[in-house]
Amino acid sequence: MEQAPHEHGTAPDTRATAVPRAAPGPAGWAPAARATLHCLTGCAVGEILGMVIGTALSWHNVPTMILAIVLAFVFGYALTVRGVLAAGVGLRAALRVALAADTLSIAVMELIDNGVIVLWPSAMNAELSDALFWGVLAASLVLAFVVTTPVNKWMIGRGKGHAVVHRYHH
């Protein structure tokens, strides 16, 4: 016969590897915008760094864009992992939370952001010193924010995405 563990008032083990589920419920636009802004910050850092590195090294468009996308995911996940680690969660669990919370948001953001850059006439050939480079990059990030916010609202309303991360915020 199995017995339930005896509790002594200890704190829960936050090193668990399972990704917690938040309770679904109505999601407002403000939390969705904050979640999107959080994602956009990491994505923008990675995207800009990747575009700057690739352009400065005179790489072709495809390797530059791949680098920018990879770095956008790395920096996007890193911001979430940093916050979750600060709440005392172990690294493995923090990585799982970041993957669950950010993957769809970052993917949509990168699809929109890079789609704008690819479709904007002459943007793929702009140099770092061109206003076009910075203008299109800024416009693509703004549009990515606008399109991704409803995605995050939908996910938060279903107890997914950044709703999972909020469990670790104090």
Side-chain angles (χ1 to χ4, degrees), residues 8-78:
H8 290 282
T10 59
D13 183 6
T14 57
R15 295 173 295 149
T17 58
V19 176
R21 295 252 186 240
W29 286 105
R34 283 191 301 274
T36 306
L37 187 58
H38 178 268
C39 252
L40 181 67
T41 302
C43 286
V45 168
E47 187 77 27
I48 292 168
L49 187 59
M51 292 289 187
V52 167
I53 290 169
T55 302
L57 295 175
S58 299
W59 286 4
H60 292 284
N61 292 336
V62 172
T64 297
M65 192 164 281
I66 290 170
L67 177 63
I69 292 168
V70 167
L71 290 178
F73 273 92
V74 167
F75 280 92
Y77 289 142

Side-chain angles (χ1 to χ4, degrees), residues 119-135:
L119 295 174
W120 197 294
S122 302
M124 291 296 291
N125 298 320
E127 297 292 326
L128 292 175
S129 58
D130 295 338
L132 180 65
F133 177 90
W134 298 103

Side-chain angles (χ1 to χ4, degrees), residues 58-155:
S58 299
W59 286 4
H60 292 284
N61 292 336
V62 172
T64 297
M65 192 164 281
I66 290 170
L67 177 63
I69 292 168
V70 167
L71 290 178
F73 273 92
V74 167
F75 280 92
Y77 289 142
L79 284 181
T80 298
V81 166
R82 187 178 136 248
V84 175
L85 285 174
V89 176
L91 179 61
R92 185 179 180 133
L95 287 169
R96 291 177 63 94
V97 167
L99 288 170
D102 292 340
T103 300
L104 181 59
S105 182
I106 295 171
V108 170
M109 202 165 285
E110 286 303 296
L111 178 68
I112 299 303
D113 174 36
N114 286 287
V116 168
I117 293 169
V118 167
L119 295 174
W120 197 294
S122 302
M124 291 296 291
N125 298 320
E127 297 292 326
L128 292 175
S129 58
D130 295 338
L132 180 65
F133 177 90
W134 298 103
V136 172
L137 189 55
S140 71
L141 292 171
V142 168
L143 186 58
F145 176 83
V146 169
V147 172
T148 307
T149 299
V151 172
N152 282 322
K153 183 180 184 300
W154 177 79
M155 287 192 311

